[in-house]
């Protein structure tokens, strides 16, 4: 028996189910290591965890925001905390002011709060980039019970460029083949791309990111035929054709506050919110991964953790590169 799209044999499916506990990948930067702050700031990770837990308990959407913040950081200039930097008055605009990040990105205050608490006991020691990686891990654990080891040792970048966002971040309207190419440029596989897309089982999106699927698909003034009709009707009730305000809707209508593999079942039912979501179930290049992830939630959780570790090592600054910021929103 083989799965649709990729011809994955049963034995391989069984192996994927068994691979639950995330392990360190050989491709993860050798400059990062577990327990990096064990001697220099042993309380660092626990401070981040407590800060994140309190924030998510008050607003579950912050957890989704922190995972997305880490992703947006890593895909532009690598995982160097550059997305956290504010634009300077009179200077070039920073990443966080780009329409892909503003006003949608959330979690900046959580990272800043954790940084202030750490600075009080371990000044000039823990990078903002590492704090963000820890926070994404903690959010995954809180919202999905997905725990994975995060090697540390990242340094903070000193450059943040508005103009580098568009060429690096995938837009919500890419095809599966375009997504595969985008992630490949960052050293991530098609399987890892589909796996990480599961983060869309939490969080919210603005109507402007998908309204063309409701009213003007491919310029035809028609509805995207891959979109479930009942789901489309629900979305239209929140997102009117005449625009105006730009409200938000849950990325995953089934389990909006739980990081799980229900997202993939929703894709198979035509309830993917963004073009980049639904294309995963429609394309022969990715459909097989969607089918496997929909069937095996435990295996997907393990893959998600490993993919997050791999993503968290993209183009990291280490050693004497960059700096350790005293405040995450500005260079020293």
């Amino acid at each position: 028996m083989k799965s649709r799209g990729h011809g994955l044999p049963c034995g391989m499916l069984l192996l994927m189910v068994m691979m639950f506990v995330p392990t360190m990948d050989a491709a993860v930067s050798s400059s990062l290591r577990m327990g990096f702050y064990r001697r220099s700031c042993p309380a660092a990770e626990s401070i981040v965890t407590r800060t994140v837990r309190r924030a998510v308990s008050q607003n579950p959407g912050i957890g989704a925001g922190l995972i997305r913040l880490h992703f947006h950081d890593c895909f532009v200039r690598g995982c160097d905390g550059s997305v956290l930097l504010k634009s300077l008055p009179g200077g070039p605009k920073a990443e966080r002011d780009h329409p892909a990040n503003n006003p949608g990105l959330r979690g900046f205050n959580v990272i800043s709060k954790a940084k202030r608490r750490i600075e009080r006991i371990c000044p000039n020691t823990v990078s903002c980039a590492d704090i963000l990686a820890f926070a994404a891990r903690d959010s995954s654990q809180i919202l999905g019970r997905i725990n994975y080891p995060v090697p540390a040792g990242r340094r903070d970048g000193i450059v943040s460029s508005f103009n580098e966002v568009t060429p690096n971040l995938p837009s919500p309207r890419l095809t599966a083949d375009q997504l595969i190419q985008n992630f490949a440029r960052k050293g991530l596989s098609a399987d890892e791309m589909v796996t990480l897309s599961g983060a869309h089982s939490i969080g919210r999106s603005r109507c402007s990111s998908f309204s063309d699927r409701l009213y003007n698909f491919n310029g035809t003034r028609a509805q995207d035929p891959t979109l479930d009709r009942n789901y489309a009707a629900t979305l239209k009730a929140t997102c009117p054709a005449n625009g105006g305000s730009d409200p938000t809707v849950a990325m995953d209508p089934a389990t909006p506050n739980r990081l799980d593999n229900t997202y993939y079942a929703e894709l198979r039912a035509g309830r993917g919110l963004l073009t980049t979501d639904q294309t995963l179930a429609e394309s022969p290049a990715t459909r097989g991964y969607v089918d496997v992830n929909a069937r095996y939630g435990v295996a997907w959780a393990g893959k998600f953790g490993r993919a997050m570790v791999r993503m968290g090592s993209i183009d990291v600054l280490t050693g004497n590169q960059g700096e350790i910021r005293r405040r995450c929103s500005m260079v020293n």
Side-chain angles (χ1 to χ4, degrees):
M1 185 182 99
K2 295 185 177 182
S3 72
R4 216 166 28 130
H6 273 274
L8 297 174
C10 280
M12 187 176 293
L13 298 184
L14 179 60
L15 177 61
M16 292 175 70
V17 175
M18 294 171 64
M19 293 169 61
F20 168 59
V21 180
T23 57
M24 294 301 296
D25 194 295
V28 172
S29 173
S30 59
S31 299
L32 303 179
R33 69 175 191 270
M34 294 299 301
F36 185 85
Y37 298 110
R38 186 173 292 123
R39 293 185 179 180
S40 60
C41 191
E45 291 194 48
S46 62
I47 290 173
V48 175
T49 299
R50 289 196 300 272
T51 305
V52 172
R53 283 193 174 278
R54 181 168 185 176
V56 175
S57 69
Q58 296 171 346
N59 180 2
I62 290 296
L66 288 168
I67 295 173
R68 185 180 178 211
L69 191 60
H70 184 40
F71 170 76
H72 281 223
D73 181 40
C74 291
F75 265 57
V76 182
R77 303 192 70 84
C79 309
D80 66 345
S82 57
V83 74
L84 304 172
L85 290 172
K86 290 182 178 180
S87 300
L88 295 176
K93 287 186 177 181
E95 294 170 34
R96 66 189 285 174
D97 287 329
H98 191 279
N101 296 328
N102 183 18
L105 280 189
R106 293 180 290 174
F108 293 103
N109 290 340
V110 178
I111 301 302
S112 294
K113 185 175 293 186
K115 176 65 171 174
R116 288 195 299 270
R117 291 172 175 172
I118 290 173
E119 282 294 303
R120 285 197 287 266
I121 61 172
C122 309
N124 306 318
T125 302
V126 182
S127 71
C128 299
D130 276 342
I131 291 173
L132 182 50
F134 295 148
R137 184 263 325 268
D138 294 335
S139 298
S140 300
Q141 199 283 325
I142 295 167
L143 297 177
R145 297 184 181 179
I146 301 174
N147 198 16
Y148 54 89
V150 175
R154 299 167 188 80
R155 303 269 292 181
D156 295 322
I158 59 174
V159 175
S160 183
S161 173
F162 179 100
N163 293 330
E164 292 183 9
V165 175
T166 298
N168 286 284
L169 271 185
S171 88
R173 294 175 175 85
L174 295 186
T175 66
D177 287 341
Q178 290 170 327
L179 285 169
I180 290 172
Q181 293 169 9
N182 180 276
F183 277 67
R185 288 195 293 270
K186 306 300 178 182
L188 298 171
S189 69
D191 188 11
E192 288 170 323
M193 179 272 289
V194 176
T195 296
L196 290 170
S197 295
H200 284 183
S201 69
I202 51 177
R204 303 182 69 82
S205 176
R206 293 191 176 275
C207 294
S208 56
S209 295
F210 58 86
S211 58
D212 57 322
R213 299 187 68 207
L214 300 176
Y215 303 109
N216 192 28
F217 182 65
N218 288 342
T220 62
R221 297 187 180 276
Q223 181 178 298
D224 185 344
T226 67
L227 194 60
D228 175 78
R229 290 185 178 183
N230 292 331
Y231 183 43
T234 300
L235 294 175
K236 287 179 178 179
T238 303
C239 306
N242 57 10
S245 63
D246 195 10
T248 63
V249 300
M251 296 286 292
D252 178 351
T255 56
N257 291 318
R258 191 165 70 240
L259 180 60
D260 60 17
N261 71 321
T262 303
Y263 164 80
Y264 299 99
E266 292 295 293
L267 298 187
R268 296 169 77 182
R271 291 191 288 270
L273 185 63
L274 306 178
T275 297
T276 47
D277 294 320
Q278 195 58 48
T279 188
L280 302 180
E282 305 299 326
S283 170
T286 51
R287 187 185 304 131
Y289 298 128
V290 170
D291 290 346
V292 170
N293 291 341
R295 292 176 63 187
Y296 302 108
V298 172
W300 168 77
K303 290 199 303 175
F304 183 83
R306 289 189 294 275
M308 287 291 286
V309 172
R310 290 250 298 148
M311 185 189 78
S313 71
I314 294 175
D315 295 335
V316 293
L317 303 177
T318 59
N320 294 322
Q321 298 172 311
E323 65 180 12
I324 302 296
R325 288 185 216 140
R326 288 186 288 274
R327 293 176 59 185
C328 290
S329 62
M330 59 188 299
V331 298
N332 292 342

